Amino acid sequence: MMEKNKIIIQPQKGPQEMFLSTSADICIYGGAAGGGKTFGLLMEPIRYKNNSEYGAVIFRKNYTQVTAQGGLWDSSRKLYRYVKGATSLKTPKLHWKFPKGAKVTFAQLENDDDCESWQGTQIDMIGFDELAHFTKYQFFYMLSRNRSNSGVSPYVRATCNPDADSWVAEFISWWINQETGYAIPERSGKIRWMVNISEIISWFDNKEEAVWFAKENGLEEEEANVAPKSVTFIASTLQDNQELMKANPTYLANLLALPEVEKERLLRGNWKIKPAAGLYYKRTQVNMLENLPTNVILWARGWDLAATSEDEKGEPAYTASVLIGKTKEGRYIIADVINKRLKASEVRKLIQITCKMDKVKYGRVIERLPQDPGQAGKEQAQSYIKMLAGYLVKAIPESGSKQARAEPLAAQWQAGNVDVLIADWNDAYFNQLESFPESKFKDMVDASSSAFNEIENGATYSIPSMNDNLSKSSYWR
């Protein structure tokens, strides 16, 4: 019988077990979110806990990803606390030490220059958590630090989520169906041999062919015998992590609620999916309204101001704004869209007039303006806020890519939670959104993202009725 309260640390059947049993020098594990990748990576060093000379280093792109709530360090505590005698230490780097002396260290590798701090080191196991976040240079440089005097053959273990634009996508392309972007099931876990000569990677089905190739390309026999590295890719999905699905039954729903591009990547493990026209917004996914509902509790208008007063042809550039409301039931209403080519002097007048009309027609509306970086951007923002005294105005620096900023609204759009008021601007608005991100102009998309993100992340209050007499401080969190 098993001892009472005895904890058994073992991989789940399927891909996680394959990951912990492969003999490959380099194993890349993952392809979707929630597949048990991080715990697999953390379990790997436990097998050598009684080897006093063994040392593993697991990298994340930056230290915040190591120490963040629920990140790599928190995950290690959930696991290693069950290893009898294991102790966690914070200096010189975060690490765990097992009773016989084996160590697991957590470190960042943010820039290529950071590799230099690892010169002269010998690391039995090098781990990369989210390999696509690292550069190809970082990976192959650290491969040169993958040496051992512990009796353990040096090896690399890595986890990843799909990224069509990363070097990893090309590196594991043999394991991926290049038409669909999905992993080829029968190739998952299959070992191939890699030879890297002058930064050109060649692949072979067995070591003998790889050694012959190395000799034919100028390596001495001793070098040619050790040059090939065995490599494999093991695909996993959320369905392979039954423990997570039991502990967090809503996690699948969270992934299903993602915009289409991210859902393909993180739920279905698609390595070919990229942002493309029609993948963010389709007009068929929204409900058209003849009249505005009366239960809107919050209004926000996002603005996208032209970066220059003229385009490359000397014509006035576009200035766009989008007004979005949120109802008590949590639906979103696209109520008004402006997209005009105006000279710089006319833009200020347009914003002033629009603020006045919004206040009369909708009550209290948050007007969200973008703030350009640098001192000039701050001064412009202050100028607008001063000009718009008496209105609810914010000037917010935008961060992240246009695609990343568009994803929150796109998720609600695709889920059918967005209504659009029937108006003469509909066709122009839908045309730009449906062609995003490939369209030349993205003004209305950016303005929509700004308004939606203000509603969800900026304001935390309900709009009072037009007859309420509340101070301005009542509106801000």
Side-chain angles (χ1 to χ4, degrees):
M1 291 180 63
M2 186 173 66
E3 295 179 21
K4 187 177 181 180
N5 299 325
K6 184 176 182 180
I7 302 295
I8 298 176
I9 299 174
Q10 64 182 29
Q12 297 181 73
K13 294 289 186 181
Q16 196 176 73
E17 188 175 60
M18 290 174 63
F19 177 64
L20 287 160
S21 61
T22 182
S23 62
D25 297 323
I26 300 168
C27 179
I28 300 172
Y29 175 42
K37 304 184 296 295
T38 298
F39 268 90
L41 191 61
L42 291 168
M43 271 192 280
E44 173 57 43
I46 295 176
R47 71 171 83 238
Y48 298 111
K49 65 184 178 66
N50 294 324
N51 186 328
S52 62
E53 301 298 322
Y54 177 85
V57 179
I58 300 178
F59 291 100
R60 283 293 321 232
K61 182 67 174 177
N62 59 61
Y63 221 54
T64 300
Q65 293 170 335
V66 176
T67 59
Q69 179 71 29
L72 194 58
W73 182 247
D74 281 356
S75 296
S76 74
R77 293 170 63 185
K78 290 180 181 179
L79 184 63
Y80 294 157
R81 65 182 176 178
Y82 294 116
V83 179
K84 187 175 180 179
T87 56
S88 61
L89 301 164
K90 295 185 177 180
T91 57
K93 287 183 170 65
L94 289 174
H95 69 279
W96 284 85
K97 190 170 184 179
F98 299 115
K100 297 290 181 67
K103 290 196 308 180
V104 182
T105 300
F106 301 93
Q108 70 173 29
L109 205 60
E110 190 158 4
N111 304 304
D112 288 356
D113 290 344
D114 293 338
C115 294
E116 295 179 7
S117 63
W118 295 90
Q119 285 185 6
T121 57
Q122 295 186 92
I123 308 172
D124 297 277
M125 187 204 89
I126 297 175
F128 292 94
D129 198 20
E130 292 298 343
L131 182 59
H133 293 176
F134 300 89
T135 66
K136 187 176 181 180
Y137 173 85
Q138 289 170 333
F139 177 78
F140 280 98
Y141 179 89
M142 291 310 301
L143 198 60
S144 72
R145 306 300 94 199
N146 196 203
R147 301 177 294 177
S148 173
N149 59 9
S150 66
V152 175
S153 296
Y155 61 108
V156 173
R157 296 293 180 262
T159 69
C160 65
N161 286 324
D163 184 344
D165 294 318
S166 75
W167 67 272
V168 180
E170 180 182 356
F171 188 73
I172 65 169
S173 59
W174 183 81
W175 289 269
I176 305 299
N177 184 315
Q178 296 303 299
E179 292 184 3
T180 66
Y182 302 124
I184 302 171
E186 57 270 25
R187 291 185 179 181
S188 184
K190 294 287 186 182
I191 291 177
R192 299 195 79 204
W193 292 85
M194 170 194 77
V195 175
N196 185 6
I197 299 177
S198 300
E199 299 185 29
I200 297 175
I201 298 173
S202 301
W203 293 94
F204 305 90
D205 292 331
N206 56 67
K207 186 175 182 179
E208 291 72 25
E209 291 179 1
V211 171
W212 176 85
F213 176 83
K215 290 178 181 177
E216 288 295 305
N217 281 271
L219 295 188
E220 299 293 332
E221 183 170 356
E222 183 178 357
E223 295 174 332
N225 287 331
V226 298
K229 291 282 187 181
S230 55
V231 182
T232 192
F233 170 75
I234 296 173
S236 70
T237 65
L238 176 60
Q239 284 68 30
D240 297 313
N241 191 351
Q242 291 300 312
E243 293 301 316
L244 174 62
M245 295 187 74
K246 290 177 186 175
N248 295 281
T250 62
Y251 190 64
L252 175 59
N254 294 341
L255 294 178
L256 287 169
L258 289 169
E260 191 62 29
V261 174
E262 291 305 300
K263 184 163 57 181
E264 276 292 306
R265 288 180 59 248
L266 298 179
L267 178 60
R268 303 189 179 109
N270 192 329
W271 281 87
K272 301 297 286 184
I273 193 75
K274 290 184 179 183
L279 292 180
Y280 281 80
Y281 306 99
K282 292 180 182 178
R283 70 187 73 197
T284 56
Q285 295 168 326
V286 298
N287 180 45
M288 303 300 296
L289 300 179
E290 293 186 9
N291 300 292
L292 286 177
T294 59
N295 60 344
V296 176
I297 59 172
L298 188 61
W299 288 106
R301 182 185 287 276
W303 289 87
D304 183 70
L305 308 181
T308 58
S309 59
E310 297 179 347
D311 63 15
E312 62 272 13
K313 296 181 180 179
E315 297 176 348
Y318 281 102
T319 290
S321 77
V322 176
L323 178 70
I324 300 180
K326 184 176 183 179
T327 70
K328 289 182 179 179
E329 293 75 24
R331 293 192 65 78
Y332 302 93
I333 316 296
I334 312 293
D336 184 54
V337 175
I338 298 171
N339 194 44
K340 293 181 177 293
R341 305 185 89 161
L342 300 171
K343 295 184 181 297
S345 60
E346 298 174 316
V347 172
R348 296 175 69 86
K349 188 65 175 176
L350 171 67
I351 294 174
Q352 194 172 36
I353 291 172
T354 304
C355 288
K356 182 180 293 187
M357 293 176 64
D358 283 347
K359 187 173 183 179
V360 172
K361 189 172 183 179
Y362 306 103
R364 289 175 172 83
V365 178
I366 308 168
E367 306 284 344
R368 176 162 163 155
L369 299 166
Q371 179 180 309
D372 292 334
Q375 186 60 33
K378 293 180 181 179
E379 291 175 355
Q380 182 193 49
Q382 291 171 359
S383 174
Y384 272 118
I385 291 172
K386 183 177 180 180
M387 179 187 76
L388 299 171
Y391 302 101
L392 297 177
V393 183
K394 288 186 180 181
I396 306 293
E398 303 289 6
S399 60
S401 67
K402 293 178 183 291
Q403 290 95 320
R405 297 201 302 271
E407 285 171 359
L409 175 58
Q412 297 300 320
W413 187 290
Q414 292 167 18
N417 296 329
V418 177
D419 300 323
V420 177
L421 184 67
I422 296 173
D424 56 6
W425 46 260
N426 289 164
D427 279 343
Y429 183 64
F430 286 139
N431 288 343
Q432 186 177 112
L433 266 65
E434 287 182 327
S435 62
F436 178 79
E438 297 175 2
S439 56
K440 177 181 178 181
F441 296 108
K442 303 173 180 65
D443 320 86
M444 289 182 280
V445 176
D446 288 345
S448 301
S449 302
S450 181
F452 181 84
N453 292 332
E454 177 60 36
I455 285 176
E456 289 305 306
N457 302 315
T460 58
Y461 59 86
S462 296
I463 293 295
S465 71
M466 292 184 65
N467 295 324
D468 289 342
N469 184 21
L470 299 179
S471 66
K472 183 175 180 180
S473 61
S474 301
Y475 311 143
W476 301 96
R477 61 174 168 179

